Amino acid sequence: MNVAILDFHPPTFSESEPSARELMEQALAPHMLVGMPHLTPSGLSETWAMKELGHRHWLMLARHLGMENADFRTPDGGEAYAAICATSLQHANFGAVRANDVLTIRSSLSPVSRTQVSTRHRLFVRGGLIGEVELISTFVCRMREGDNYSIARVPLPSVAAVVEDSALARTAALLRAGTLKTHFGLPANPVKALRGFRFEPDASQEFNGAGLFYFAEFQALIDRAFGRWFPELSQVSRREIFFSGNIRAGEAVRVELMGLSPDRRRSFCRLRREEDGKVIGKAFMEWQAE
């Protein structure tokens, strides 16, 4: 039997170990070869895409701040995190992606307030747009060590004096204030849930390296609930999620359907932690027509 051994050496680096800064630049390369880790039976995995774009968001922010790596710190040296507080997916056509396609990601960063930063990402395959994603983050830390209930915003050096407009940031502000009346054509403040789905996230699967219920898993959990409720629905073409809390390891989350259009193509749901009933996320979605 013949065995082929591939000893891969990136052509842009020397034989010495590359720096974190060099690896950040490599991780932000615009082209990726699509394989099994990136796919589901229906095409590109939205959960994978959000994780990848979240990673790029943090690296872009670190580069924007002139850092050598994405090790964000509070003024007293404690760990801080660029926590995602809102996401938007538009014009999604992830079903067009197949193995061995080249995925191209074009990204830009802009501050949208004194404490929030947006990155926008346009995804292409074979020259065609398959999705546009916006991620907005703010810096947070734990006020009590190890307690995900104690996550709070922290002041860090301003990223810029001039900010750009973001419709997603404006919607998030209205939702936090309770003044948003409708979104995606659905009431934004309904009282009664239409149905619910209970899930127990696993610390080894749905939590990230910071010990937090990962933002990309909110969307994955929502899809599990909708797969139970409406298995006939196709892929999501548009989705916005707004985050307002986290959970502790071992706790359960309920996905609650709060609104549904007559044709079932648009929906609104919220994620609520079972321990104390706090709403930790709200999601508005539009599904592709069959």
Side-chain angles (χ1 to χ4, degrees), residues 141-151 212 247-248:
C141 74
R142 291 183 179 90
M143 305 307 291
R144 296 184 299 274
E145 185 175 355
D147 186 0
N148 289 352
Y149 282 20
S150 69
I151 294 292
L212 297 167
I247 63 172
R248 297 167 178 155

Side-chain angles (χ1 to χ4, degrees), residues 10-210:
T12 57
F13 297 144
S14 66
E15 291 297 318
S16 61
E17 184 175 298
S19 68
R21 180 75 180 196
E22 288 174 317
L23 290 173
M24 281 203 303
E25 297 298 328
Q26 185 183 40
L28 291 170
H31 305 293
M32 301 182 64
L33 183 64
V34 174
M36 291 301 109
H38 316 108
L39 296 169
T40 73
S42 300
L44 188 70
S45 165
E46 185 181 343
T47 302
W48 172 84
M50 285 300 178
K51 290 181 178 181
E52 172 66 22
L53 297 179
H55 182 53
R56 290 178 180 238
H57 176 99
W58 297 318
L59 297 182
M60 292 170 66
L61 180 54
R63 187 173 64 173
H64 179 77
L65 294 172
M67 300 168 63
E68 290 302 310
N69 55 43
D71 183 19
F72 303 110
R73 295 282 165 175
T74 61
D76 62 1
E79 288 187 329
Y81 311 104
I84 302 298
C85 51
T87 66
S88 169
L89 169 66
Q90 298 187 71
H91 313 302
N93 185 24
F94 288 174
V97 184
R98 299 289 181 265
N100 301 310
D101 278 339
V102 174
L103 173 66
T104 299
I105 304 173
R106 301 293 183 188
S107 304
S108 62
L109 178 149
S110 58
V112 293
S113 76
R114 291 185 296 108
T115 60
Q116 294 182 324
V117 170
S118 162
T119 57
R120 294 177 172 90
H121 312 266
R122 305 185 76 218
L123 283 61
F124 300 87
V125 165
R126 297 185 300 278
L129 180 71
I130 62 160
E132 294 183 287
V133 174
E134 181 178 5
L135 307 178
I136 296 177
S137 72
T138 189
F139 284 111
V140 303
C141 74
R142 291 183 179 90
M143 305 307 291
R144 296 184 299 274
E145 185 175 355
D147 186 0
N148 289 352
Y149 282 20
S150 69
I151 294 292
R153 296 191 182 194
V154 292
L156 288 178
S158 178
V159 293
V162 179
V163 301
E164 293 189 12
D165 180 63
S166 164
L168 182 63
R170 284 188 275 109
T171 301
L174 292 172
L175 199 59
R176 286 195 303 272
T179 57
L180 185 67
K181 300 301 182 183
T182 61
H183 198 47
F184 280 50
L186 298 169
N189 293 291
V191 176
K192 186 178 179 180
L194 303 177
R195 60 180 71 188
F197 174 82
R198 184 179 185 272
F199 186 77
E200 296 181 9
D202 188 275
S204 68
Q205 298 296 322
E206 283 87 26
F207 284 65
N208 64 14

